[in-house]
Amino acid sequence: MIERKLYERVLELLRDFRIVYISGPRQTGTSTLAKVIAGDVGMRYFTLDNQAFHEAAKSDPHGLLESLGKRIVLDEFQYAPPLIPAIKMISDDLRPDEKGVFLLTGSADIFKTAKTREAFPGHMAHLELYPLSISEIEKSGVNIVDYLLSDKLSQVDGKLIDRNKMAGIIIRGGYPEAIGKSLRNRSAWFKSYVLGRLFKDFAALTETRGDYIGKIDALTRLLAGMSGNLLKYANIASKVGLDDKTVKKYMQTLELMFIIKRLEPYAKNQAKRGVVGMPKIHFVDTGLACYLLGIKKAELLHASNFYGGLLENFVLMELFKHSGWASEDIRLYHFRDKKKNEVDIVIEKDDARIIGVEVKGSASVSQEDFKGLHELSLFAGNRFEKGILFYTGGQLLPMKFKDNTFYAVPISFLW
């Protein structure tokens, strides 16, 4: 098993919270991690994938939890929402010093829904376990978020990454079972994965009936080709033959299932976030996106129009992955002003200061590549801390543009 960087963070939270919830896509190792932790800290493991256990949870949630006792792992928790009020009742009655009572995992984040969002105020810590980061695959100790947030960017060893190799990394993705397979077998794995998610999980979460599989298949393939682009529901609806409301509902479900991820626009006024401006669409795993696009070979990807968007998608998801075990909490956005100046990613720290991140798929940089970062610095004012441009070259380069010094950072620093 590849060591997951989130392991130590989960143990830390179990020592300080009554409930810890790990959510993430299927087949990313959430159950494996939960079993390892259960063995290491003396918790008992149960899964809602077990039909008999599932039925007991639905019919008598309070009685089931009473019989199980405390310090338990409940895997695939999204299948039994009736357990939520029962867990809340137990949690409310615990002594202040009782921690690590429940470890919950789910391959769909039910706590993002309106009914469950405030179920355990102050009692639960939440982590997201994504497909493997490239630093985990390469067994590197790098945390790119900590590096970018450091006061001074140190010069570390970097490598020139040619376009073909980078395309291969994007196609590989990060699902543990898929990364070591041949091209043909990886494609077969993704086919099985997609069919399983569409038929089982999507139907379970939406209670959708009728002939919807073809529409979902068309929608996910369309979205895969939009990685890194602005999300316009009306345009998508017209292309897949659905109304705007249905498209939005389906996409919200795909996001709960960790198939896609929407990146909201950055605004200085927090009240306007999610209200003003359009989000960008990305895939949680670039390997899955490439499969849906029918791209199996690196030379096909790097010669396609999808390469730039998927490279941006790759960097964004690496930041999300590394943020889970970073020293400081961050939030991620994108930037686009009224003049259409853009920055791919905005990292916001707890003190509201920001770092702009651009992604470029070439080994050279010019001053004009930093124009968007400059506009972001003007927009954010004293909240702007630094600007970064990831590129495929091998050296950290300071670059002066107007009144700012920005940094070209080798993408190989990610691992």
Side-chain angles (χ1 to χ4, degrees), residues 14 25 49 59 64 108 111 132 153 178 192 196 273 276 286 299 339 343-344 392 400-401 411:
L14 282 170
D49 249 346
S59 64
L64 177 64
F111 288 102
L132 293 165
L153 298 183
S192 174
R273 294 178 186 175
V276 177
T286 55
E299 56 267 27
K339 297 180 181 179
V343 173
D344 296 329
T392 58
K400 189 81 172 179
F401 184 85
I411 204 166

Side-chain angles (χ1 to χ4, degrees), residues 17-19 70 87-102 123:
F17 285 85
R18 301 173 187 181
I19 306 164
K70 300 173 183 177
I87 291 176
K88 185 178 188 303
M89 183 177 295
I90 293 173
S91 179
D92 287 344
D93 290 339
L94 292 173
R95 300 189 313 271
D97 63 336
E98 290 186 277
K99 309 295 182 184
V101 177
F102 294 102
H123 295 179

Side-chain angles (χ1 to χ4, degrees), residues 230-250:
L230 293 172
L231 181 56
K232 301 177 181 179
Y233 292 106
N235 290 355
I236 295 171
S238 65
K239 290 179 181 178
V240 295
L242 294 167
D243 60 81
D244 295 12
K245 185 177 179 180
T246 301
V247 165
K248 194 166 187 178
K249 174 187 173 184
Y250 283 3

Side-chain angles (χ1 to χ4, degrees), residues 201-209 212 249-250 253-254 257:
D201 293 350
F202 189 90
L205 288 168
T206 61
E207 298 181 354
T208 301
R209 298 291 182 269
Y212 69 93
K249 174 187 173 184
Y250 283 3
T253 303
L254 289 172
M257 293 163 55

Side-chain angles (χ1 to χ4, degrees), residues 5 358 363:
K5 303 281 191 178
E358 280 276 68

